[in-house]
């Protein structure tokens, strides 16, 4: 372990690695953040950690900057947790970017090694760098639960930002009350929201109290307003799929990595 009370003989780990490998300081930092550097046998991911001259600093033989690819995290957000959307209307432009960044920062309370799905089949090692520079392009209302995507990958960020209107999202909505005559048919087609007719939507009963919605271009408040229009009150809502990526068996409050073969 590194010493927390360094004296003048201690140096930054990144400097020590740069000297050992005869590489640049930035390259050394990337190796450290990639989990390839150990101090006295323990992995150290902080380039700024201080080490003593007598401590053993080792770089893994398989260390490669090619391994430092950006990751995408799929979180099962619990109800009551802020995830990129705290206002009645969806922000745009700079406000949207600020909201996404704020949501990503708040997600750090759940996005940690401790809440990683133990059964994650990706095989990716959890590193501290995976929780940095995350952006959320799939916000959910605070009262809703379900799948939220956080990514470092600019390609996925661009895909979600540009195509979110055309990606089908699937939600399970728990309701109470008595549905109006022909209410299910009206939910599928015939309602308006914010003064505009809604396109055809796939809606079906999952059981006596839960409806399954599959729709594109969903707007904040749309599903509660639709249900209210046919005599129902929303009790709870969970998003279980975005495009072709499902929430699957990730428990509330846990997350997994998006695997390379999974596409939205």
């Amino acid at each position: 372990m590194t010493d927390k009370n360094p004296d003048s003989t201690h140096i930054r780990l990144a400097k020590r690695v740069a000297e050992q490998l005869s590489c640049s300081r930035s390259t050394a930092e990337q190796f450290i953040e990639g989990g390839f550097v150990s101090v006295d046998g323990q992995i150290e991911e902080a380039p700024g950690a201080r080490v003593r001259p007598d401590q053993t600093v080792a770089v893994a033989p398989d260390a490669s900057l090619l391994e430092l690819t950006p990751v995408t995290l799929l979180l099962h957000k619990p109800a009551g947790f802020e995830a990129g959307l705290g206002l009645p209307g969806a922000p745009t432009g700079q406000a949207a970017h600020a909201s996404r960044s704020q949501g990503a920062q708040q997600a750090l309370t759940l996005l940690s090694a401790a809440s990683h799905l133990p059964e994650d089949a990706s095989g990716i090692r959890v590193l501290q760098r995976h929780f940095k520079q995350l952006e959320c392009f799939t916000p959910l209302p605070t009262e809703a639960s379900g799948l939220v995507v956080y990514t470092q990958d600019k390609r996925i960020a661009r895909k979600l930002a540009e195509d979110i209107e055309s990606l089908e999202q699937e939600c399970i909505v728990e309701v109470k009350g008595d549905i109006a005559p022909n209410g299910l048919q009206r939910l599928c087609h015939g309602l308006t929201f914010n003064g505009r007719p809604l396109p055809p939507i796939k809606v079906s009963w999952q059981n006596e109290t839960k409806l399954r919605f599959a729709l594109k271009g969903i707007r904040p408040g749309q599903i509660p307003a639709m249900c209210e229009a046919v005599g129902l009150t929303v009790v709870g809502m969970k998003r279980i799929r975005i495009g072709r990526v499902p929430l699957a068996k990730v428990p509330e409050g846990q997350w997994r990595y998006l695997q390379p073969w999974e596409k939205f």
Side-chain angles (χ1 to χ4, degrees):
M1 295 181 62
T2 53
D3 197 314
K4 295 183 179 180
N5 297 296
D7 58 29
S8 59
T9 64
H10 293 63
I11 64 171
R12 292 180 77 252
L13 179 59
K15 182 178 179 181
R16 175 82 170 268
V17 172
E19 291 174 350
Q20 287 187 199
L21 299 182
S22 297
C23 65
S24 68
R25 192 77 60 87
S26 62
T27 297
E29 290 177 352
Q30 291 182 71
F31 280 130
I32 297 167
E33 292 177 346
F36 294 115
V37 176
S38 63
V39 178
D40 289 343
Q42 296 189 10
I43 298 297
E44 176 59 69
E45 296 179 53
R50 312 288 292 192
V51 293
R52 302 188 310 271
D54 64 319
Q55 289 183 291
T56 300
V57 174
V59 180
D62 62 344
S64 170
L65 297 185
L66 296 177
E67 297 292 327
L68 304 181
T69 55
V71 297
T72 298
L73 314 182
L74 306 178
L75 171 69
H76 185 167
K77 182 187 89 70
F81 181 82
E82 160 67 19
L85 183 65
L87 301 173
T92 58
Q94 291 183 350
H97 182 78
S99 177
R100 289 193 294 266
S101 298
Q102 179 186 27
Q105 288 300 315
Q106 291 178 344
L108 293 180
T109 58
L110 287 180
L111 296 179
S112 68
S115 54
H116 178 227
L117 177 69
E119 298 82 15
D120 191 337
S122 68
I124 299 174
R125 289 187 304 159
V126 179
L127 299 172
Q128 290 305 307
R129 70 177 183 84
H130 293 165
F131 308 119
K132 299 176 181 178
Q133 297 180 322
L134 291 166
E135 287 191 284
C136 174
F137 290 86
T138 56
L140 268 182
T142 303
E143 63 274 13
S145 66
L147 177 60
V148 182
V149 181
Y150 291 92
T151 188
Q152 300 172 331
D153 193 322
K154 299 303 181 184
R155 294 169 301 173
I156 290 179
R158 184 167 58 252
K159 168 74 174 177
L160 293 175
E162 295 177 353
D163 297 346
I164 194 64
E165 294 291 316
S166 60
L167 288 175
E168 186 175 77
Q169 301 185 43
E170 186 174 350
C171 301
I172 301 300
V173 182
E174 185 176 359
V175 296
K176 65 180 181 180
D178 298 319
I179 192 168
N182 299 319
L184 186 60
Q185 291 82 350
R186 292 178 62 202
L187 286 172
C188 292
H189 194 204
L191 295 177
T192 61
F193 181 66
N194 287 342
R196 296 183 178 182
L198 291 170
I201 296 170
K202 303 171 190 174
V203 185
S204 60
W205 285 105
Q206 187 181 53
N207 57 37
E208 292 182 353
T209 60
K210 293 181 179 179
L211 288 162
R212 172 188 170 274
F213 282 72
L215 65 168
K216 300 177 182 179
I218 184 173
R219 297 288 186 270
Q222 178 179 331
I223 289 179
M226 291 175 65
C227 291
E228 184 177 350
V230 296
L232 299 173
T233 300
V234 172
V235 177
M237 182 167 62
K238 176 191 289 187
R239 180 164 61 193
I240 61 172
R241 177 174 59 86
I242 299 174
R244 292 172 287 176
V245 175
L247 178 62
K249 297 181 179 180
V250 179
E252 272 197 5
Q254 293 189 16
W255 60 273
R256 69 176 180 88
Y257 289 104
L258 180 75
Q259 299 196 59
W261 54 264
E262 292 184 289
K263 306 296 181 184
F264 288 99

